[in-house]
Amino acid sequence: MKPTADLSFIHLITGASVPVQAVMLLLVLLSLWSWWLIFYKGGVLKRAAKRNASFDDSFWQGSDLNQLYARIAEGREKFGPQADVFAAGFREFIKQKRQATASKEAVVDGTRRALKAATQREMDGLEHQLPGLATVASVSPYIGLLGTVWGIMNSFRGLASVGQATLAQVAPGIAEALIATAIGLFAAIPAVVAYNRFQAQLDRINTQLETFAEEFLNILQRQA
């Protein structure tokens, strides 16, 4: 009776060919990087949403705009993206108002451009490194498939010299090759889920910033 082939996970990995092992290692590194991005971006977006809510409460409680701007300009505490949009718009508003030749339309138009640019700048900062998750989600299955194809090719190449192939001879080679696909999916699935979740949060923050910019511009327009 022939001994049963060892199909344990560790044995299949250590027994795989060098190219397949290289693919597995690359996928593990991509998975670790994607998990770091998930925790990092999750924390960034959570803090941004919390700080936006805190600043929104302070702003609509009737705080003096000059005092609020002074607090933000000091930089002693973090106020979040919405506060930075407010500061950029109010800074431009003050700058335009100090110009004696500036008309009301020019003041409002300059402030609008500053608010729009600040909103885009804040969103660019929040979206930083997010494409990395999309990259892991899109390429990991294909990298795993490459390892699988390579492993199966090696298995059938080894069987070419065998007179009669049996399932016991084929199974270990195919199993170790399919592990590459499994690791690729393990790396891709969390990245896809996190990317979609973060994208939804970013869309929500972007809507909040744009809405705030319009409402704030209406307030400044009455003061122009």
Side-chain angles (χ1 to χ4, degrees):
M1 183 176 180
K2 294 181 179 180
T4 304
D6 187 357
L7 296 180
S8 65
F9 189 80
I10 300 299
H11 178 77
L12 291 176
I13 292 178
T14 56
S17 62
V18 175
V20 177
Q21 288 181 339
V23 168
M24 292 178 183
L25 177 60
L26 176 60
L27 289 171
V28 169
L29 294 176
L30 287 175
S31 179
L32 292 175
W33 182 49
S34 69
W35 277 107
W36 177 82
L37 286 176
I38 289 171
F39 286 109
Y40 171 71
K41 295 305 295 186
V44 168
L45 294 179
K46 184 177 181 179
R47 286 192 298 271
K50 183 177 180 180
R51 289 169 178 172
N52 281 348
S54 178
F55 174 80
D56 202 55
D57 291 340
S58 299
F59 180 83
W60 294 111
Q61 283 176 358
S63 302
D64 181 82
L65 296 183
N66 290 285
Q67 293 180 358
L68 187 58
Y69 173 73
R71 288 173 55 198
I72 297 173
E74 288 176 357
R76 295 181 180 178
E77 55 182 312
K78 299 292 184 180
F79 287 89
Q82 189 165 308
D84 292 336
V85 170
F86 160 80
F90 196 68
R91 186 184 306 113
E92 182 64 22
F93 177 75
I94 295 174
K95 178 181 176 181
Q96 294 287 342
K97 286 273 289 183
R98 288 175 178 173
Q99 298 180 8
T101 58
S103 62
K104 179 179 179 179
E105 290 74 15
V107 172
V108 173
D109 189 55
T111 305
R112 179 183 290 108
R113 290 197 302 270
L115 288 170
K116 184 177 180 180
T119 299
Q120 186 60 52
R121 185 167 56 250
E122 293 300 321
M123 291 306 302
D124 289 342
L126 291 174
E127 292 172 356
H128 179 60
Q129 293 184 333
L130 190 61
L133 280 178
T135 300
V136 173
S138 60
V139 305
S140 293
Y142 294 103
I143 296 176
L145 184 59
L146 174 63
T148 297
V149 171
W150 187 279
I152 292 177
M153 287 172 56
N154 281 340
S155 296
F156 281 105
R157 189 180 297 114
L159 291 174
S161 59
V162 179
Q164 184 178 2
T166 63
L167 182 60
Q169 293 171 322
V170 177
I174 295 179
E176 68 185 27
L178 290 175
I179 288 182
T181 297
I183 297 176
L185 294 175
F186 179 78
I189 292 174
V192 171
V193 174
Y195 179 82
N196 291 334
R197 180 182 178 183
F198 292 158
Q199 195 60 56
Q201 292 177 339
L202 285 169
D203 291 341
R204 193 179 306 115
I205 292 175
N206 185 52
T207 301
Q208 291 174 348
L209 294 181
E210 290 180 347
T211 302
F212 170 78
E214 288 296 327
E215 294 174 340
F216 182 45
L217 185 63
N218 291 334
I219 294 175
L220 295 179
Q221 192 171 2
R222 292 192 293 268
Q223 298 180 7

